[in-house]
Amino acid sequence: MEEEDLGDDFSYNSVAIQSSEKHERVIIHIDIDCFYAQVEMIQNPSLCGKPLGIKQKNIVVTCNYEARALGVEKLMSIKTALEKCPSLVLANGEDLKKYRDMSEKIYQILQSFSPFVEKLGLDENFIDISHKINKSPEIKPEVSGHIFEEKNSGETCACGCTDRLKEGSIIAQEMRNQLKSELGITSCAGIACNKLLAKLIGATHKPNQQTTLFSASSLNLMKSLKHPRNIPGIGSAMNRKLEVLGIDTIEKLQAADLFKLVEALGAKTANQIQQLSFGIDNSRVKITDRPKSIGAEDGFPTIKSETEVRKKLKCLLDRVWELVEKDGRRPSQVKLTVRKLHATNHSVREARQTAIDLTTGFPSNAPLGPLSENQEKKVITTLMNLFEKVVNCDESWQVTLLGISFSGFPSGIESPAKNSINKYFTCSSRPNETLPPPTKRGRFDESVLQELPDDIRQEVLEDMKCQMPSSSTSQQSADFDCPKGVDPQVFRELPVEIQKELLAGEKNKKPIATKKPNNLLQYFRKV
Ligand code: DGT
Ligand code: MG
């Protein structure tokens, strides 16, 4: 097929935009195969080998690869799926708890390879492993898995990214092996020099395979997508705007006049989507934040007495506290949500929140355990007080839903966040121990910061600054000027300019969260 001539604009854009391209990083994107279906098969091995669909309402939200081979597709109606595959076994996937639990275990394993792990939905993660490259002399730079356009893979980029990506593919293989051996779960991986390309390339060989994209082939990968809507982050609204501009191929988006794009979409979005069309994505792997609140709700036909409310709340509290305990942070706020049914049969949701002290009798850094009898009584009494603020118990009433949610979690040292880089720099609550116990792959290398590209290091440092608490319960080294919440021993080993950054951050805490969100790249921040 002959290539369409897009003229001078394409060449101009191509040169101008690609000159901003960087290949310094090695990013792995991991996507679990038929996630919900695998979780069900792991829990019930008798399902293995049979075509299996996971239903929510009347939809098959996913299905295993046996079912796919028989014509069942993701998001097919149950009726159609059964027509295509009468032997389809259906499992109910409405309770997401087991999928969330598996998702957390996957995240923990990936974090043992690199602290820079960003969750995207329940079954996808980006991992930045740039700092691990060139660290393992035992790793021979041979690719593990597929190479996109293998015939062109002899071309090596002058910046050295080809070898870095090869090494990345070996680490991706190790990650996938570990997910399989520890959790029994298979996955696909994409290895590339940015998040966009890693996500796209990982989907080219499925299931249970991995693919590496060398930088020289990135334009061809983008071209192979054909339509702009196939670029993650370009949704239907953006796509309509592009079509109004006559842009219905990736190549037209690449060649589009930037001034016209800016006029239609605004400067930031115009620049970003044109860069994405060239496979350029400088967004970094942002360590996934932990939730600001943890809760659950329960709907039911109707409840009309306080005794029943108390009983429901007790059951709900057991469930919610299990989640809080797993999370490990001690909350200081509790919220009650109530859905009231009015005489006219319409319902209204109302919520009330209040402070709750669950530290009595516990040092604030003691590990969180099950609620004691007294604590449970205290929470239920607090919730009943909130209930009486929402519902006038002197009159008759009906409620059809109750919800409990905990929030007000401490940040930084007071809650050695499982998912935060800060954990590598915070003091341990245990004496004589300053760093987390070694992981299977060895202790986190504090020099990691030095080896990150400048812009990424800067952003990570900003994250660390904003995660530092204003007051700390940690012991400070008396003779050393060290920011609060940072282990002095680790701090001493940091390069001077980073020490300065951290100290400056103490004086001038500017939360990164105040940055404007980047709407276009929200697809990287879905969790
Ligand atoms: P894959 O990655 O193609 O092998 O298959 P899955 O099942 O892992 O699909 P993926 O990665 O797109 O989504 C992960 C899980 O999320 C999937 O197992 C079910 C759930 N899911 C995906 N899309 C939807 C959706 O549109 N609605 C609902 N309710 N759940 C979805
Ligand atoms: Mg998946």
Side-chain angles (χ1 to χ4, degrees):
M1 198 177 77
E2 240 174 66
E3 295 210 344
E4 192 182 354
D5 180 12
L6 291 153
D8 293 345
D9 283 343
F10 176 78
S11 325
Y12 172 76
N13 288 358
S14 177
V15 171
I17 293 177
Q18 287 195 278
S19 64
S20 71
E21 193 180 6
K22 295 176 191 158
H23 307 151
E24 292 159 341
R25 293 180 295 156
V26 178
I27 309 292
I28 296 174
H29 175 259
I30 299 248
D31 183 343
I32 305 299
D33 301 325
C34 56
F35 181 47
Y36 291 3
Q38 275 208 82
V39 173
E40 297 296 337
M41 290 188 290
I42 290 166
Q43 291 195 347
N44 179 2
S46 73
L47 295 171
C48 296
K50 297 178 183 156
L52 171 69
I54 307 303
K55 62 174 183 177
Q56 283 179 358
K57 306 273 188 274
N58 60 342
I59 300 282
V60 174
V61 287
T62 193
C63 52
N64 63 5
Y65 279 78
E66 284 84 346
R68 291 184 202 191
L70 296 169
V72 184
E73 290 171 12
K74 290 195 263 185
L75 305 180
M76 207 174 231
S77 75
I78 289 179
K79 189 166 168 281
T80 317
L82 285 171
E83 277 165 15
K84 296 255 176 205
C85 174
S87 59
L88 184 69
V89 180
L90 288 167
N92 191 320
E94 272 160 33
D95 180 1
L96 301 182
K97 184 177 178 306
K98 53 191 162 207
Y99 311 135
R100 289 201 188 106
D101 286 352
M102 180 61 88
S103 177
E104 179 59 25
K105 286 180 192 156
I106 292 166
Y107 186 85
Q108 294 298 328
I109 288 182
L110 297 177
Q111 257 219 338
S112 71
F113 286 83
S114 163
F116 305 107
V117 185
E118 178 176 336
K119 257 179 123 162
L120 177 66
L122 284 183
D123 83 327
E124 293 180 46
N125 285 280
F126 290 108
I127 310 103
D128 188 332
I129 50 152
S130 313
H131 62 283
K132 296 187 85 79
I133 301 296
N134 298 327
K135 282 287 175 56
S136 324
E138 76 274 13
I139 292 183
K140 302 257 177 316
E142 285 303 323
V143 175
S144 180
H146 303 275
I147 302 170
F148 183 71
E149 292 190 324
E150 191 154 11
K151 57 185 185 322
N152 300 340
S153 65
E155 259 183 71
T156 44
C157 178
C159 79
C161 62
T162 309
D163 279 350
R164 290 196 289 272
L165 290 164
K166 285 181 182 174
E167 210 174 316
S169 76
I170 311 270
I171 298 179
Q173 186 69 58
E174 284 177 24
M175 287 175 177
R176 294 177 48 244
N177 290 349
Q178 201 167 324
L179 291 173
K180 178 73 178 120
S181 63
E182 292 192 14
L183 304 176
I185 207 147
T186 66
S187 57
C188 285
I191 304 98
C193 62
N194 69 40
K195 285 163 60 177
L196 172 75
L197 295 172
K199 182 174 164 69
L200 289 171
I201 199 63
T204 56
H205 290 96
K206 288 166 80 166
N208 197 16
Q209 298 174 66
Q210 62 175 57
T211 315
T212 302
L213 175 75
F214 293 130
S215 307
S217 297
S218 57
L219 267 183
N220 285 349
L221 173 68
M222 294 313 294
K223 261 199 216 168
S224 73
L225 299 179
K226 298 201 162 58
H227 200 283
R229 69 169 164 262
N230 295 326
I231 299 180
I234 297 195
S236 49
M238 171 72 69
N239 192 41
R240 274 195 298 277
K241 288 182 192 170
L242 291 176
E243 291 198 327
V244 169
L245 297 171
I247 298 172
D248 57 2
T249 66
I250 301 266
E251 279 139 308
K252 285 187 194 167
L253 180 54
Q254 291 173 339
D257 177 352
L258 187 58
F259 291 107
K260 284 195 188 131
L261 273 186
V262 169
E263 227 169 58
L265 309 171
K268 198 167 171 187
T269 306
N271 268 304
Q272 276 173 349
I273 63 163
Q274 201 167 48
Q275 289 208 337
L276 291 179
S277 73
F278 282 97
I280 297 172
D281 170 18
N282 292 324
S283 70
R284 73 189 175 97
V285 171
K286 181 103 172 53
I287 298 162
T288 298
D289 291 335
R290 304 173 82 193
K292 295 205 166 32
S293 67
I294 296 172
E297 294 184 342
D298 220 354
F300 28 78
T302 50
I303 283 188
K304 299 173 185 173
S305 77
E306 285 181 64
T307 319
E308 281 176 285
V309 170
R310 202 176 269 276
K311 218 165 117 192
K312 279 276 178 205
L313 287 177
K314 162 94 184 58
C315 290
L316 202 51
L317 178 60
D318 284 349
R319 262 170 56 200
V320 176
W321 193 260
E322 205 184 305
L323 300 175
V324 175
E325 225 186 303
K326 240 184 221 165
D327 176 273
R329 294 169 296 167
R330 197 176 300 273
S332 61
Q333 296 278 326
V334 63
K335 182 167 92 180
L336 175 75
T337 303
V338 179
R339 186 169 66 203
K340 295 189 282 186
L341 187 65
H342 286 274
T344 51
N345 236 6
H346 78 279
S347 50
V348 179
R349 285 172 74 105
E350 254 185 71
R352 287 280 192 288
Q353 178 162 323
T354 188
I356 189 153
D357 178 8
L358 296 172
T359 58
T360 321
F362 295 92
S364 61
N365 55 5
L368 201 60
L371 284 174
S372 67
E373 211 173 300
N374 274 345
Q375 285 175 321
E376 187 183 281
K377 266 192 203 150
K378 193 176 190 173
V379 180
I380 296 288
T381 307
T382 310
L383 289 167
M384 288 309 292
N385 290 339
L386 292 175
F387 184 78
E388 281 163 21
K389 288 188 179 152
V390 178
V391 172
N392 181 353
C393 294
D394 296 334
E395 295 172 3
S396 75
W397 49 266
Q398 296 185 38
V399 303
T400 58
L401 176 143
L402 290 167
I404 302 176
S405 147
F406 287 98
S407 59
F409 299 110
S411 56
I413 181 80
E414 287 130 21
S415 71
K418 277 192 215 154
N419 302 346
S420 149
I421 191 175
N422 225 25
K423 78 174 178 184
Y424 298 106
F425 294 94
T426 51
C427 300
S428 161
S429 54
R430 282 166 286 189
N432 308 325
E433 206 182 305
T434 52
L435 282 168
T439 63
K440 241 182 162 178
R441 293 177 54 83
R443 207 173 68 177
F444 181 77
D445 178 2
E446 302 93 46
S447 63
V448 62
L449 277 175
Q450 287 173 63
E451 306 194 3
L452 296 173
D454 289 348
D455 51 342
I456 295 174
R457 183 175 53 228
Q458 200 57 40
E459 286 191 49
V460 169
L461 283 166
E462 276 186 53
D463 264 5
M464 290 172 64
K465 277 184 224 165
C466 97
Q467 283 175 19
M468 276 176 205
S470 51
S471 68
S472 162
T473 52
S474 68
Q475 293 256 310
Q476 292 284 315
S477 155
D479 60 352
F480 196 75
D481 193 12
C482 170
K484 285 177 184 166
V486 177
D487 182 341
Q489 193 184 320
V490 175
F491 185 74
R492 253 185 228 116
E493 287 167 20
L494 291 171
V496 176
E497 76 271 20
I498 294 177
Q499 290 182 358
K500 278 188 196 153
E501 291 265 8
L502 290 170
L503 288 167
E506 274 291 274
K507 287 179 198 133
N508 177 26
K509 287 195 186 79
K510 182 172 171 292
I512 197 166
T514 56
K515 273 190 181 171
K516 271 199 180 164
N518 175 339
N519 289 333
L520 180 74
L521 294 179
Q522 280 301 310
Y523 80 97
F524 289 142
R525 311 277 319 119
K526 269 199 318 203
V527 172

Tab-separated table of all heavy atoms in Angstrom, residues 31-37 54 56 59 61-63 65 68 74-75 96 122-124 188 206-207, ligand 1:
chain	number	residue	atom	x	y	z
A	31	ASP	N	-0.422	-6.003	32.428
A	31	ASP	CA	-1.886	-6.145	32.380
A	31	ASP	C	-2.203	-7.626	32.611
A	31	ASP	O	-1.685	-8.497	31.899
A	31	ASP	CB	-2.384	-5.695	30.987
A	31	ASP	CG	-3.909	-5.740	30.867
A	31	ASP	OD1	-4.563	-6.393	31.695
A	31	ASP	OD2	-4.435	-5.128	29.916
A	32	ILE	N	-3.028	-7.890	33.615
A	32	ILE	CA	-3.341	-9.288	33.941
A	32	ILE	C	-4.312	-9.847	32.889
A	32	ILE	O	-5.217	-9.153	32.443
A	32	ILE	CB	-3.974	-9.376	35.352
A	32	ILE	CG1	-3.061	-8.703	36.404
A	32	ILE	CG2	-4.283	-10.820	35.728
A	32	ILE	CD1	-1.695	-9.290	36.556
A	33	ASP	N	-4.091	-11.099	32.505
A	33	ASP	CA	-4.980	-11.729	31.525
A	33	ASP	C	-6.341	-11.986	32.159
A	33	ASP	O	-6.416	-12.456	33.297
A	33	ASP	CB	-4.398	-13.091	31.086
A	33	ASP	CG	-3.008	-12.943	30.458
A	33	ASP	OD1	-2.780	-11.929	29.773
A	33	ASP	OD2	-2.161	-13.835	30.675
A	34	CYS	N	-7.376	-11.739	31.395
A	34	CYS	CA	-8.796	-11.979	31.792
A	34	CYS	C	-8.926	-11.968	33.328
A	34	CYS	O	-9.275	-12.980	33.942
A	34	CYS	CB	-9.303	-13.278	31.197
A	34	CYS	SG	-8.356	-14.761	31.580
A	35	PHE	N	-8.701	-10.797	33.894
A	35	PHE	CA	-8.440	-10.694	35.333
A	35	PHE	C	-9.500	-11.380	36.215
A	35	PHE	O	-9.191	-12.289	36.983
A	35	PHE	CB	-8.277	-9.221	35.713
A	35	PHE	CG	-7.969	-8.994	37.164
A	35	PHE	CD1	-6.991	-9.733	37.795
A	35	PHE	CD2	-8.661	-8.048	37.908
A	35	PHE	CE1	-6.694	-9.535	39.130
A	35	PHE	CE2	-8.369	-7.832	39.235
A	35	PHE	CZ	-7.396	-8.582	39.856
A	36	TYR	N	-10.754	-10.930	36.107
A	36	TYR	CA	-11.775	-11.493	37.009
A	36	TYR	C	-11.887	-13.019	36.796
A	36	TYR	O	-12.038	-13.781	37.755
A	36	TYR	CB	-13.146	-10.863	36.762
A	36	TYR	CG	-13.310	-9.406	37.143
A	36	TYR	CD1	-12.251	-8.653	37.627
A	36	TYR	CD2	-14.554	-8.777	37.028
A	36	TYR	CE1	-12.416	-7.324	37.956
A	36	TYR	CE2	-14.733	-7.446	37.364
A	36	TYR	CZ	-13.661	-6.717	37.817
A	36	TYR	OH	-13.843	-5.401	38.146
A	37	ALA	N	-11.774	-13.415	35.534
A	37	ALA	CA	-11.922	-14.844	35.239
A	37	ALA	C	-10.782	-15.640	35.886
A	37	ALA	O	-10.999	-16.717	36.453
A	37	ALA	CB	-11.965	-15.072	33.734
A	54	ILE	N	-17.651	-13.973	33.260
A	54	ILE	CA	-17.938	-13.338	34.555
A	54	ILE	C	-19.067	-12.349	34.318
A	54	ILE	O	-18.937	-11.435	33.492
A	54	ILE	CB	-16.695	-12.609	35.101
A	54	ILE	CG1	-15.497	-13.551	35.137
A	54	ILE	CG2	-16.972	-11.998	36.476
A	54	ILE	CD1	-15.678	-14.809	35.935
A	56	GLN	N	-21.903	-9.486	35.395
A	56	GLN	CA	-22.371	-8.423	36.293
A	56	GLN	C	-23.656	-7.943	35.646
A	56	GLN	O	-23.639	-7.558	34.468
A	56	GLN	CB	-21.355	-7.290	36.376
A	56	GLN	CG	-20.169	-7.625	37.260
A	56	GLN	CD	-19.142	-6.505	37.331
A	56	GLN	OE1	-19.276	-5.478	36.691
A	56	GLN	NE2	-18.096	-6.732	38.104
A	59	ILE	N	-24.516	-8.597	31.799
A	59	ILE	CA	-23.362	-8.438	30.913
A	59	ILE	C	-22.253	-9.419	31.312
A	59	ILE	O	-22.015	-9.635	32.501
A	59	ILE	CB	-22.796	-6.992	31.026
A	59	ILE	CG1	-23.836	-5.949	30.642
A	59	ILE	CG2	-21.505	-6.792	30.258
A	59	ILE	CD1	-24.029	-5.815	29.147
A	61	VAL	N	-18.732	-9.286	31.791
A	61	VAL	CA	-17.735	-8.208	31.823
A	61	VAL	C	-16.366	-8.681	31.338
A	61	VAL	O	-15.601	-7.916	30.772
A	61	VAL	CB	-17.606	-7.519	33.205
A	61	VAL	CG1	-18.797	-6.643	33.476
A	61	VAL	CG2	-17.343	-8.505	34.300
A	62	THR	N	-16.082	-9.960	31.548
A	62	THR	CA	-14.888	-10.542	30.922
A	62	THR	C	-15.084	-12.049	30.812
A	62	THR	O	-16.043	-12.612	31.380
A	62	THR	CB	-13.594	-10.210	31.676
A	62	THR	OG1	-12.482	-10.546	30.831
A	62	THR	CG2	-13.466	-10.979	32.989
A	63	CYS	N	-14.198	-12.697	30.101
A	63	CYS	CA	-14.294	-14.154	29.972
A	63	CYS	C	-12.886	-14.692	29.765
A	63	CYS	O	-11.980	-13.936	29.364
A	63	CYS	CB	-15.198	-14.517	28.809
A	63	CYS	SG	-14.758	-13.711	27.272
A	65	TYR	N	-9.846	-17.142	28.108
A	65	TYR	CA	-9.458	-17.239	26.696
A	65	TYR	C	-10.106	-18.449	26.000
A	65	TYR	O	-10.282	-18.440	24.788
A	65	TYR	CB	-7.927	-17.189	26.569
A	65	TYR	CG	-7.453	-15.732	26.637
A	65	TYR	CD1	-7.363	-15.061	27.855
A	65	TYR	CD2	-7.194	-15.018	25.475
A	65	TYR	CE1	-6.994	-13.724	27.919
A	65	TYR	CE2	-6.817	-13.668	25.534
A	65	TYR	CZ	-6.727	-13.032	26.753
A	65	TYR	OH	-6.376	-11.699	26.800
A	68	ARG	N	-13.197	-16.952	24.798
A	68	ARG	CA	-12.924	-16.035	23.683
A	68	ARG	C	-12.750	-16.826	22.386
A	68	ARG	O	-13.196	-16.411	21.325
A	68	ARG	CB	-11.691	-15.173	23.973
A	68	ARG	CG	-11.965	-14.177	25.105
A	68	ARG	CD	-10.825	-13.226	25.372
A	68	ARG	NE	-10.942	-12.701	26.751
A	68	ARG	CZ	-10.250	-11.709	27.252
A	68	ARG	NH1	-9.362	-11.086	26.515
A	68	ARG	NH2	-10.430	-11.319	28.510
A	74	LYS	N	-15.618	-9.643	25.586
A	74	LYS	CA	-15.817	-8.810	26.778
A	74	LYS	C	-16.997	-7.878	26.524
A	74	LYS	O	-17.155	-7.371	25.407
A	74	LYS	CB	-14.574	-7.957	27.049
A	74	LYS	CG	-13.388	-8.760	27.529
A	74	LYS	CD	-12.319	-7.858	28.117
A	74	LYS	CE	-11.239	-7.547	27.135
A	74	LYS	NZ	-10.125	-6.773	27.695
A	75	LEU	N	-17.806	-7.655	27.562
A	75	LEU	CA	-18.948	-6.738	27.532
A	75	LEU	C	-20.074	-7.171	26.584
A	75	LEU	O	-20.847	-6.356	26.110
A	75	LEU	CB	-18.504	-5.296	27.212
A	75	LEU	CG	-17.429	-4.732	28.143
A	75	LEU	CD1	-17.055	-3.323	27.753
A	75	LEU	CD2	-17.867	-4.784	29.604
A	96	LEU	N	-16.723	-7.239	44.320
A	96	LEU	CA	-15.377	-6.953	43.805
A	96	LEU	C	-14.262	-7.248	44.807
A	96	LEU	O	-13.092	-7.106	44.491
A	96	LEU	CB	-15.276	-5.481	43.385
A	96	LEU	CG	-16.267	-5.009	42.306
A	96	LEU	CD1	-16.014	-3.557	41.955
A	96	LEU	CD2	-16.154	-5.864	41.051
A	122	LEU	N	-7.868	-2.055	38.213
A	122	LEU	CA	-7.537	-3.126	39.159
A	122	LEU	C	-6.437	-4.046	38.645
A	122	LEU	O	-5.744	-4.682	39.421
A	122	LEU	CB	-8.779	-3.975	39.463
A	122	LEU	CG	-9.814	-3.381	40.410
A	122	LEU	CD1	-10.934	-4.372	40.656
A	122	LEU	CD2	-9.187	-2.989	41.739
A	123	ASP	N	-6.288	-4.119	37.326
A	123	ASP	CA	-5.373	-5.167	36.836
A	123	ASP	C	-4.231	-4.645	35.977
A	123	ASP	O	-3.564	-5.419	35.307
A	123	ASP	CB	-6.149	-6.268	36.102
A	123	ASP	CG	-6.437	-5.932	34.655
A	123	ASP	OD1	-6.629	-4.745	34.347
A	123	ASP	OD2	-6.463	-6.865	33.833
A	124	GLU	N	-4.014	-3.340	35.971
A	124	GLU	CA	-2.897	-2.814	35.180
A	124	GLU	C	-1.990	-1.980	36.083
A	124	GLU	O	-2.464	-1.283	36.971
A	124	GLU	CB	-3.416	-1.903	34.056
A	124	GLU	CG	-4.200	-2.630	32.999
A	124	GLU	CD	-4.699	-1.683	31.919
A	124	GLU	OE1	-3.913	-0.847	31.438
A	124	GLU	OE2	-5.886	-1.773	31.577
A	188	CYS	N	0.356	-10.028	30.788
A	188	CYS	CA	1.097	-9.565	29.617
A	188	CYS	C	1.917	-8.348	30.035
A	188	CYS	O	1.497	-7.593	30.920
A	188	CYS	CB	0.134	-9.131	28.516
A	188	CYS	SG	-0.618	-10.534	27.717
A	206	LYS	N	-1.091	-11.349	23.216
A	206	LYS	CA	-1.866	-11.763	24.371
A	206	LYS	C	-2.317	-13.203	24.169
A	206	LYS	O	-2.490	-13.609	23.034
A	206	LYS	CB	-3.118	-10.875	24.513
A	206	LYS	CG	-2.825	-9.458	24.964
A	206	LYS	CD	-4.015	-8.554	24.758
A	206	LYS	CE	-5.032	-8.712	25.871
A	206	LYS	NZ	-6.036	-7.662	25.904
A	207	PRO	N	-2.604	-13.967	25.201
A	207	PRO	CA	-2.323	-13.714	26.609
A	207	PRO	C	-0.953	-14.269	26.995
A	207	PRO	O	-0.335	-14.988	26.228
A	207	PRO	CB	-3.432	-14.522	27.299
A	207	PRO	CG	-3.660	-15.694	26.372
A	207	PRO	CD	-3.343	-15.211	24.976
B	1	DGT	P1	-7.491	-9.013	29.045
B	1	DGT	O1	-6.665	-7.970	29.730
B	1	DGT	O2	-7.926	-8.613	27.688
B	1	DGT	O3	-6.859	-10.383	29.030
B	1	DGT	O4	-8.863	-9.187	29.845
B	1	DGT	P2	-9.306	-8.536	31.209
B	1	DGT	O5	-10.504	-9.274	31.686
B	1	DGT	O6	-8.184	-8.483	32.183
B	1	DGT	O7	-9.767	-7.099	30.743
B	1	DGT	P3	-9.260	-5.668	31.220
B	1	DGT	O8	-7.800	-5.716	31.515
B	1	DGT	O9	-9.737	-4.720	30.197
B	1	DGT	O10	-10.075	-5.384	32.539
B	1	DGT	C1	-9.745	-5.948	33.816
B	1	DGT	C2	-11.016	-6.382	34.544
B	1	DGT	O11	-11.873	-5.255	34.727
B	1	DGT	C3	-11.838	-7.403	33.809
B	1	DGT	O12	-11.449	-8.709	34.169
B	1	DGT	C4	-13.242	-7.088	34.188
B	1	DGT	C5	-13.230	-5.628	34.534
B	1	DGT	N1	-13.785	-4.788	33.462
B	1	DGT	C6	-13.172	-4.413	32.320
B	1	DGT	N2	-13.960	-3.617	31.594
B	1	DGT	C7	-15.100	-3.469	32.295
B	1	DGT	C8	-16.333	-2.745	32.065
B	1	DGT	O13	-16.520	-2.068	31.055
B	1	DGT	N3	-17.286	-2.839	33.038
B	1	DGT	C9	-17.092	-3.580	34.179
B	1	DGT	N4	-18.045	-3.609	35.096
B	1	DGT	N5	-15.946	-4.254	34.424
B	1	DGT	C10	-14.989	-4.210	33.495
